[in-house]
Amino acid sequence: MTDKIPSFKEDIDMINVPTDKLNTIISNFSLDSNARKQQVKRKRNRILIVAACLFIGIPTTAFGAVKAYDMIVQKQNFELNISVANKIFNKRDSWYKMRVGYLPENMEANDSLAMKYSFKDNYANGGFSFILWRLEKNSDFQTLYSNSYEEKEFNGRKAVVVRKDTGNKNIMFDRQVFLLFKEEGIMLESYIGADVNDEQMMKVMENISLERTSEKNASYTLDYNGGHLNKADKPTESRVIPLKKDSKQLFKVGKTVPVTMEQGVTGTEAKLEFVIENVEVFDKIKDFEQENFNQSGLEILSENKAIDEKKKLLPYKRDVYKVGNGKDSVDELVDSQLINLKFVYLTATVKNTSKQATEEIYMHPSLQVLQFNNNAWNYAGEDGIAEDSIMTGEVDYLEPHGSGKGFYNIGIIQPGETKKINLGYFVDEDKLDSIFLDAFHYSGFGNIENMNAKNRWWIDIRQ
């Protein structure tokens, strides 16, 4: 259970991960298996692919600290470190299944590993995300943006409840709980969503247990001090190779985009022709089939009062933050202004040019804001600055579409068949002249992202 690390879906909300570890230990709590990289310069406020929670233990030196049961807890400014005593953690031949004995009403498992739980009407964020760590000696854990902490016991097990404050009002996970299973040599790390109240959090934590089982049936568990944590002696920085102005992977509206896509089930290649036929911009959405809208997108509009009863889009307040480092500083509001919102509607076709039917296709081309510099396009944004925009970059309107968590599923396309697709995105008016589609991108990145790679297809839909 510890020999493979699942792929990590890009969007993490306010969880700081050291860059030298980001590509060497990753964990997937997403709704699907399609990995994407979270770029700091284009950080999304919310992600439709479920918010994932990743924590990396970093060795720290505990000094001048207060002993909390079997743990040493030290807080300095906004950084909190937990060091666990090492003498009892030698049981590496035992395997455990995590049991969650209580869930709040309307909450269910949100991934195949049963390590992520969300409310049924709020898959896009929040809920509970769990990570099991098999402890070694001198196991240390770090939490950034910590506001305060409390030492507690759940069923006689020592725990630390950490409350977080990033300085940004839209924090998705505002608490972390570390629960020590002393006899099993396991630390359970939990991320708690802002949509979970304290009473629900406490009851869930009180009813979590570990049951002895076989390796095959064990819950996914990470070795705290496993080899994958020590591969990089020096920090490695992610680098982006910008999209060239004349790149063969950049297409105009109306042009045929030849897509070759690996299919995960059969291992075959699907050959498609994707065309954006037309792009239109609207101020209201009342004339569109409401059932084709992604509910999370509509909820974001309502939360920000960006839509009225007649389905007309209204200006909303977009905040801009200077990003803190989580140790000595939190996010700082530097600008706030009213922004007009538009609905960008795309008419498209997908043709299967293969000799066999496709597998089920998930249609979620992401919308990216790019800026032109040095004769190439790169992700827009400024280092150290984050916009609190209601633009998610994810598909807000899709026809046809699947149901529930399979919203993006447009089904199977037979050989020679052409399927008509309608896509829609909510876009800030001042970004209309810099929007591009990143289409059929299902793979992740290494330390280097090449925007001109053969498995990337960009469509210029600027208005």
Side-chain angles (χ1 to χ4, degrees):
M1 297 295 293
T2 57
D3 56 341
K4 294 184 180 179
I5 309 298
S7 59
F8 174 58
K9 187 73 180 175
E10 71 170 359
D11 292 320
I12 302 175
D13 184 78
M14 294 301 179
I15 298 171
N16 287 265
V17 179
T19 55
D20 60 321
K21 306 296 185 184
L22 182 58
N23 295 306
T24 54
I25 171 170
I26 54 181
S27 184
N28 180 9
F29 299 102
S30 62
L31 291 179
D32 56 31
S33 61
N34 305 320
R36 296 186 193 163
K37 184 179 181 183
Q38 173 77 1
Q39 294 293 336
V40 174
K41 292 185 180 180
R42 57 185 173 104
K43 179 182 177 189
R44 298 175 185 171
N45 176 36
R46 296 191 183 208
I47 52 174
L48 191 57
I49 313 285
V50 169
C53 296
L54 175 66
F55 173 87
I56 296 174
I58 303 176
T60 58
T61 302
F63 52 92
V66 178
K67 185 172 183 180
Y69 310 111
D70 297 292
M71 298 178 283
I72 301 296
V73 182
Q74 179 192 16
K75 184 177 184 297
Q76 183 174 2
N77 295 330
F78 303 103
E79 179 183 13
L80 185 139
N81 293 298
I82 299 173
S83 299
V84 184
N86 67 338
K87 60 182 179 180
I88 60 175
F89 299 118
N90 297 314
K91 299 182 179 179
R92 303 193 48 81
D93 56 345
S94 299
W95 298 92
Y96 298 95
K97 180 76 175 177
M98 187 181 76
R99 300 291 184 187
V100 181
Y102 166 82
L103 284 175
E105 186 178 354
N106 203 36
M107 181 175 279
E108 65 181 7
N110 207 18
D111 73 324
S112 61
L113 299 175
M115 299 295 280
K116 167 69 182 171
Y117 295 83
S118 298
F119 288 105
K120 293 179 182 178
D121 56 356
N122 195 21
Y123 283 116
N125 56 73
F128 292 85
S129 288
F130 300 110
I131 303 173
L132 288 175
W133 294 94
R134 189 190 299 274
L135 295 167
E136 302 268 350
K137 59 183 179 179
N138 300 322
S139 299
D140 301 317
F141 299 90
Q142 176 201 56
T143 294
L144 301 179
Y145 294 99
S146 61
N147 184 39
S148 63
Y149 74 92
E150 181 182 6
E151 302 168 18
K152 296 191 71 68
E153 285 194 10
F154 295 108
N155 285 330
R157 298 185 181 93
K158 313 308 180 185
V160 177
V161 178
V162 185
R163 300 186 184 276
K164 305 179 72 173
D165 181 8
T166 64
N168 187 320
K169 66 180 184 296
N170 287 313
I171 181 173
M172 186 180 295
F173 295 91
D174 60 1
R175 286 151 293 171
Q176 269 179 270
V177 178
F178 296 89
L179 179 59
L180 177 63
F181 288 84
K182 179 177 178 180
E183 297 303 320
E184 294 84 354
I186 298 289
M187 176 72 86
L188 171 63
E189 181 183 14
S190 309
Y191 286 84
I192 318 299
D195 57 347
V196 177
N197 63 42
D198 274 0
E199 182 180 354
Q200 292 169 327
M201 175 186 72
M202 295 300 182
K203 194 168 182 179
V204 168
M205 299 308 301
E206 287 171 356
N207 286 275
I208 291 179
S209 60
L210 295 182
E211 296 180 1
R212 193 83 169 262
T213 188
S214 64
E215 180 177 358
K216 179 180 179 181
N217 296 320
S219 295
Y220 188 81
T221 305
L222 290 172
D223 286 341
Y224 168 81
N225 209 20
H228 52 268
L229 289 177
N230 303 307
K231 288 182 179 178
D233 294 326
K234 296 181 180 180
T236 57
E237 293 186 3
S238 298
R239 185 166 69 91
V240 176
I241 299 176
L243 181 67
K244 298 176 182 177
K245 181 181 180 180
D246 58 352
S247 174
K248 293 181 179 179
Q249 304 307 116
L250 178 58
F251 300 85
K252 298 285 188 180
V253 172
K255 297 297 183 181
T256 299
V257 181
V259 176
T260 301
M261 185 174 61
E262 271 192 38
Q263 302 189 107
V265 176
T266 62
T268 61
E269 283 188 343
K271 295 185 180 297
L272 308 173
E273 290 182 350
F274 181 57
V275 182
I276 299 294
E277 304 281 1
N278 193 33
V279 182
E280 299 175 89
V281 180
F282 296 90
D283 294 313
K284 54 188 176 182
I285 61 173
K286 73 171 186 176
D287 296 328
F288 294 91
E289 291 291 337
Q290 298 302 298
E291 66 177 18
N292 292 328
F293 282 96
N294 195 315
Q295 287 304 306
S296 68
L298 295 180
E299 289 172 4
I300 293 172
L301 294 184
S302 297
E303 290 170 5
N304 287 271
K305 298 179 180 180
I307 190 170
D308 64 13
E309 295 179 354
K310 296 181 179 180
K311 304 297 182 181
K312 178 178 173 59
L313 300 177
L314 305 174
Y316 77 98
K317 188 174 72 170
R318 185 176 71 196
D319 295 330
V320 179
Y321 291 88
K322 179 181 178 182
V323 180
N325 62 16
K327 293 184 178 182
D328 308 308
S329 60
V330 296
D331 296 355
E332 177 186 353
L333 182 66
V334 294
D335 187 30
S336 183
Q337 55 183 308
L338 284 178
I339 299 295
N340 292 323
L341 195 64
K342 302 292 182 180
F343 179 61
V344 177
Y345 181 71
L346 311 178
T347 303
T349 59
V350 183
K351 181 179 181 180
N352 180 10
T353 59
S354 307
K355 294 182 179 180
Q356 67 279 338
T358 67
E359 296 175 6
E360 291 183 329
I361 291 178
Y362 286 77
M363 178 62 65
H364 49 72
S366 63
L367 183 143
Q368 303 291 348
V369 178
L370 305 183
Q371 61 187 9
F372 193 73
N373 190 28
N374 294 328
N375 212 36
W377 294 96
N378 206 339
Y379 298 110
E382 181 181 347
D383 284 334
I385 299 296
E387 283 187 347
D388 182 18
S389 169
I390 64 177
M391 281 180 61
T392 65
E394 303 293 338
V395 179
D396 294 309
Y397 181 95
L398 182 60
E399 181 186 12
H401 63 82
S403 60
K405 291 184 283 187
F407 178 81
Y408 292 141
N409 189 349
I410 64 170
I412 293 170
I413 304 179
Q414 298 297 327
E417 179 187 0
T418 298
K419 185 170 287 193
K420 292 184 178 180
I421 308 292
N422 294 317
L423 300 148
Y425 301 83
F426 296 119
V427 180
D428 293 353
E429 185 176 38
D430 61 347
K431 303 294 177 63
L432 290 173
D433 61 353
S434 55
I435 52 176
F436 292 73
L437 275 192
D438 186 3
F440 292 94
H441 179 217
Y442 298 117
S443 60
F445 309 98
N447 291 331
I448 299 176
E449 176 190 353
N450 183 0
M451 297 174 70
N452 308 276
K454 291 182 179 180
N455 64 344
R456 303 294 294 276
W457 297 275
W458 297 88
I459 299 99
D460 182 353
I461 61 170
R462 289 177 293 161
Q463 300 297 298

